Amino acid sequence: MKVRKAVIPVAGLGTRFLPATKAIPKEMLTIVDRPTIQYIVEEVVASGIDQIIFVTSEGKSAIENHFDYNFHLDAVLKEKNKTILGEELNNISNLIDIVSVRQKKPLGLGHAIWTARNVIGDEPFMVLLGDDMVLSKVPCAKQLLDLFDEVGESIVAIQRVPMEETSQYGIIEGEKTDREKTYKVKRMVEKPAPGTTDSDMAIIGRYILMPEIFDILDTTTPGHGGEIQLTDALLALTRRRAMYAQEFEGTRFDAGDKMGYLKAIIAYGLRHPALGKQLRAHLKEVVATL
Ligand code: UTP
């Protein structure tokens, strides 16, 4: 079994980032010189996946346009002899095969994934949240795919979070396996009330799922926040077959949150080959003077 397809849900409302996201999808906010969603698409490409399925909604067409060929812009850039820029733009539209499905109402992440069922069919697939960025040596998606090659079962990427923050995440409780930083999932709960779990293992926006998840989502009722929660369906999936959790190597940024976004800009800026050195010097100066 090979994972060939990746679902990237981008149909959320982005209320945490208002007013910036009133007319612009949060996935189109820029980190250094490209929208956040481009980093995620590049991670998918670097991991060897063949196709991306965007789950979109009203007002998100800028995302589809960003990965499309822009005939007019291409012609203008050629006319002005800006061929390198033109090539870069065309490269974006040639990165990977992309299709879109539409989530008509923002009924929750579980519902967004369910919307892609007909395009996925009966095969395991990857999910990457459109606002979760991971800066790592080996792409985070590739790290999960390597584990999938060994276990052939569903996988969630996890990171340790401070106990006082567990109520902001889906939390798993698991049993350590022989493989480094890998756990067999025993229990999971979406945004547990403080004091109701001993685990600090939080699910972040990277998953590999077996197609049975769609049967489960067919009948998953709204949970936390009145939304159809992926975590509830994942818990049901653990009762049918094994599921693993992997602490990935890298740093994750929630770019859908204002502070997470600022941290991402700094981290990606510092890593940028042309701008990093200058930014580092500038940050030192700013910290010393402000
Ligand atoms: P978030 O929890 O970040 O929700 O969704 P949101 O609506 O995008 O943003 P806030 O919380 O209002 O600021 C996690 C991921 O699930 C997608 C989002 O696009 C994001 O990638 N999602 C969420 C959907 O595609 N559809 C939904 O109904 C809900």
Side-chain angles (χ1 to χ4, degrees), residues 9-16 26-27 103 106-109 112 129-131:
V10 292
L13 293 174
T15 54
R16 283 171 296 157
K26 64 177 168 182
E27 297 81 5
Q103 186 189 23
L107 298 178
L109 176 58
L129 298 194
D131 54 0

Side-chain angles (χ1 to χ4, degrees), residues 147 158 160 172-177 179-186 201 243-247:
L147 174 59
I158 52 163
R160 305 270 178 177
I172 70 122
E173 290 170 10
E175 211 168 69
K176 180 94 190 65
T177 68
R179 194 177 189 273
E180 209 192 338
K181 302 205 169 217
T182 308
Y183 301 80
K184 187 135 185 245
V185 177
K186 293 284 163 211
M201 294 193 279
M243 183 179 298
Y244 292 85
Q246 186 180 2
E247 257 183 88

